[in-house]
Amino acid sequence: SGSIMVKDLADQLGVKANELIKRLIALGVMAGVNQELDRDTAVIVATELGATVEERATQEEQEELILQGEDDSPESLTERPPVVTVMGHVDHGKTSLLDRIRATRVTQSEAGGITQHIGASVIEWHDRKVVFLDTPGHEAFTSMRARGAQVTDVAVLVVAANDGVMPQTVEAINHAKAANVPIVVAINKIDLPDANPDKVRTELSNYGLIAEEWGGDTIMVPVSARTGEGIDQLLEALILQADILELKANSHRPAQGTIIEAKLDKGRGPVATVLVAKGLLKVGDVFVAGSVYGRVRALINDRGQRVKSAGPSMPVEVLGFNQLPEAGDDFVILADEKQAKSIADARQERLKRQSESAGRGVSLDDFLQRL
Ligand code: GDP
Ligand code: MG
């Protein structure tokens, strides 16, 4: 439980410290300007003096309800592809593995087409889709999760068979565990003469990851990003893991998702890649993303093609933002632009107030929420 100083509370409420002290005395609390008030006292006196505090909370709650939209009935849900993040120690082969996985797709259908980079790729494997995020795993987990966004369904933990478990391997395991995301292990570089997959299995067992073939429940696939060995088995394992998770979403409702990257493009203005969590995102849709808003002018898929819509689990580049959003921001389709603008503006206003009061040390909103 926390406390707030009388003068800070007065500041936050926009009243004179004297006035606040009078109120406190009326409540039977004898306090000076430098005195700390406990939570209950602060809330009581703030409610008496600062009706706006209550109003703000209600308004924010209302906005959140609007953004949340309707709940999806179980019947409305259909299967969606898994979203996968690749994690692991530096140089264990994360980038090589992603490149190799992407190459399976290029040879299949694109005849050497150069793909535009949008921060995620959709792989088709035996009529099933798997979405890979390009963001280095740690960033995807730490920065996005810090902002309350969870976009990953499955983590691929890459461990080099000639090197074994290293500090960032352990970090990755901890991130995935904290996020409650299942891990599929790719024991990489098995083409090397000094590769020792069993040593990797043994080391991982010290961190609670027991290989299936050893009676545990972690799928571990020996692979080589260099030769391509085991890549099919890895994709198969990811599909299997997705089936276990029974990933589903309503693909007909107005879309919701998360910004996974954003940049200011010289020619096109603010563009961002959205990972759709549910619903169908369409050209012309009006949206709020964090504290910015807009109308979808164009959608571009991971192959650089313009598309009219994007469904659950799909990454898609969106044009039409009024300003640049941030990775980790929520992205929500709304019925009308006025509403989108008003919510974005209110959020921006709140952010501004928060950073102003952060400068002064205490934010009443934060304070009341924290306790
Ligand atoms: P990252 O830091 O985890 O993204 O690792 P990289 O993909 O950049 O790979 C680091 C180094 O390991 C590079 O020199 C790769 O060529 C090499 N490498 C990656 N995968 C394999 C593999 O399966 N076998 C071999 N022999 N080398 C690999
Ligand atoms: Mg890399």
Side-chain angles (χ1 to χ4, degrees):
S1 191
S3 59
I4 185 169
M5 229 187 283
V6 167
K7 65 179 178 196
D8 289 332
L9 183 60
D11 230 32
Q12 289 293 320
L13 292 169
V15 299
K16 293 228 166 68
N18 274 345
E19 195 183 331
L20 182 59
I21 289 168
K22 268 189 216 154
R23 289 281 181 156
L24 285 165
I25 291 171
L27 289 168
V29 181
M30 300 299 156
V33 281
N34 289 319
Q35 186 149 337
E36 300 275 338
L37 296 174
D38 64 31
R39 176 192 202 270
D40 290 345
T41 310
V43 171
I44 290 166
V45 76
T47 317
E48 272 193 14
L49 280 165
T52 54
V53 175
E54 282 290 315
E55 255 167 48
R56 268 184 218 162
T58 330
Q59 193 198 333
E60 198 172 338
E61 276 163 23
Q62 271 170 4
E63 284 166 15
E64 293 309 317
L65 275 177
I66 292 167
L67 292 172
Q68 208 178 325
E70 307 243 324
D71 281 349
D72 295 310
S73 67
E75 310 86 67
S76 68
L77 306 179
T78 51
E79 190 182 287
R80 67 170 179 83
V83 179
V84 176
T85 298
V86 177
M87 308 174 85
H89 196 72
V90 65
D91 282 346
H92 278 198
K94 297 179 293 295
T95 303
S96 308
L97 196 63
L98 267 174
D99 286 348
R100 171 60 76 167
I101 288 168
R102 256 190 236 110
T104 62
R105 160 184 109 174
V106 173
T107 51
Q108 268 168 25
S109 58
E110 282 175 307
I114 308 263
T115 56
Q116 181 167 341
H117 224 57
I118 68 159
S121 352
V122 184
I123 303 308
E124 258 193 69
W125 195 81
H126 293 297
D127 288 334
R128 298 282 299 268
K129 289 190 169 84
V130 182
V131 179
F132 287 88
L133 297 183
D134 294 346
T135 334
H138 302 278
E139 275 171 49
F141 269 84
T142 47
S143 65
M144 292 215 202
R145 281 197 72 235
R147 318 203 57 225
Q150 169 126 346
V151 292
T152 305
D153 299 309
V154 181
V156 169
L157 179 68
V158 182
V159 188
N162 62 331
D163 205 21
V165 170
M166 298 299 279
Q168 287 167 344
T169 316
V170 178
E171 237 175 71
I173 294 170
N174 291 337
H175 283 311
K177 279 186 179 164
N180 209 11
V181 169
I183 295 172
V184 169
V185 177
I187 305 178
N188 192 31
K189 305 199 188 187
I190 54 161
D191 59 287
L192 292 175
D194 57 343
N196 188 349
D198 271 349
K199 183 166 163 271
V200 174
R201 290 187 182 93
T202 306
E203 288 172 354
L204 286 173
S205 70
N206 296 328
Y207 297 91
L209 299 179
I210 319 288
E212 272 189 328
E213 55 275 27
W214 287 6
D217 54 13
T218 304
I219 307 176
M220 300 194 188
V221 188
V223 300
S224 167
R226 179 154 295 171
T227 67
E229 192 182 342
I231 301 298
D232 277 1
Q233 285 84 344
L234 179 61
L235 290 171
E236 197 172 330
L238 291 171
I239 298 282
L240 185 71
Q241 190 58 250
D243 286 342
I244 293 168
L245 294 171
E246 295 190 72
L247 304 169
K248 286 180 175 171
N250 178 350
S251 56
H252 297 293
R253 57 169 295 146
Q256 294 188 5
T258 305
I259 305 287
I260 58 171
E261 58 177 11
K263 60 169 189 269
L264 204 54
D265 189 292
K266 263 186 203 146
R268 303 180 298 168
V271 290
T273 302
V274 172
L275 188 76
V276 179
K278 51 178 149 178
L280 191 67
L281 175 58
K282 304 187 298 294
V283 172
D285 280 352
V286 167
F287 60 81
V288 173
S291 53
V292 309
Y293 70 99
R295 183 186 289 273
V296 179
R297 237 173 37 224
L299 294 172
I300 296 155
N301 72 10
D302 63 309
R303 297 166 186 226
Q305 301 157 333
R306 277 190 176 234
V307 290
K308 289 203 173 76
S309 64
S313 297
M314 288 300 113
V316 69
E317 194 173 57
V318 175
L319 274 66
F321 289 83
N322 75 321
Q323 287 174 58
L324 204 58
E326 275 180 64
D329 278 344
D330 60 347
F331 177 93
V332 180
I333 299 306
L334 292 175
D336 81 285
E337 195 154 345
K338 243 171 96 181
Q339 191 176 46
K341 180 177 180 344
S342 109
I343 291 179
D345 288 349
R347 282 174 154 190
Q348 208 149 76
E349 186 57 35
R350 274 198 291 277
L351 279 178
K352 217 176 91 192
R353 264 205 318 266
Q354 264 169 25
S355 65
E356 278 169 10
S357 56
R360 277 185 278 138
V362 188
S363 149
L364 183 60
D365 282 348
D366 283 355
F367 163 75
L368 292 177
Q369 268 162 23
R370 225 174 25 235
L371 299 181

